[in-house]
Amino acid sequence: LQIGVKNCDGFYVYYLKATPSCPISYCAGEKDVCPVGKWSVTGLMPCKDEYPKMTTDPVVEGPEIVGNRSFRFACDIKFAEHDPDQAFDVVWTFDDKEDAAIPMTTVQEPGRVSYLDGALLQGHLGTNVGCKVRARYMSNTN
């Protein structure tokens, strides 16, 4: 990479070529940048994985009776690490297919359970209820 540097009586002026695409930037300093597949708010060490790595599938539990006239299913997210920056996006499935009419929910600490109200099951009688989970860090906007 070719750059131009000029010492102007105690401060430096840099000539930098444009980056080939976004979001690429130049940085200077003594800290190392995060390697590919790692991330931090600053882009510098210390770094963590780009997203929480789930090693266990979520577990659907229920149906559970709620009050006298309702029921719900629970999607229990099994994840050992506790980090307040973690979020888990939950999508409910019926015979492994998503229903766009049922909105995605996001759960965070301290509870990692998403609930599907039985009132939303119209049109899904006789199907297998499941859930899919995407883990992410809320502060990672990439």
Side-chain angles (χ1 to χ4, degrees):
L1 177 67
Q2 296 280 333
I3 62 172
V5 181
K6 183 176 182 180
N7 185 345
C8 295
D9 294 325
F11 68 94
Y12 295 93
V13 176
Y14 296 89
Y15 173 75
L16 304 171
K17 294 183 180 180
T19 60
S21 65
C22 290
I24 298 173
S25 61
Y26 291 99
C27 60
E30 296 178 5
K31 289 188 176 182
D32 292 328
V33 297
C34 292
V36 174
K38 299 289 183 177
W39 167 88
S40 77
V41 173
T42 63
L44 303 173
M45 295 287 198
C47 307
K48 56 185 173 183
D49 290 331
E50 289 181 307
Y51 55 90
K53 304 276 195 259
M54 295 186 65
T55 57
T56 305
D57 290 335
V59 176
V60 174
E61 298 173 346
E64 168 189 1
I65 304 299
V66 180
N68 293 328
R69 305 182 74 145
S70 185
F71 67 95
R72 66 184 182 185
F73 287 91
C75 180
D76 190 8
I77 301 164
K78 308 289 186 188
F79 196 76
E81 186 179 328
H82 293 278
D83 182 343
D85 191 33
Q86 293 170 345
F88 301 89
D89 299 328
V90 178
V91 176
W92 290 93
T93 61
F94 305 92
D95 287 339
D96 294 322
K97 295 181 183 109
E98 298 176 21
D99 180 346
I102 299 177
M104 177 184 73
T105 57
T106 300
V107 295
Q108 297 170 250
E109 297 289 346
R112 292 189 181 140
V113 179
S114 178
Y115 295 99
L116 173 65
D117 190 309
L120 297 174
L121 292 176
Q122 184 174 0
H124 296 292
L125 293 178
T127 62
N128 290 316
V129 177
C131 62
K132 294 180 183 177
V133 177
R134 178 182 72 118
R136 63 184 171 90
Y137 291 110
M138 293 181 298
S139 57
N140 185 354
T141 57
N142 293 334

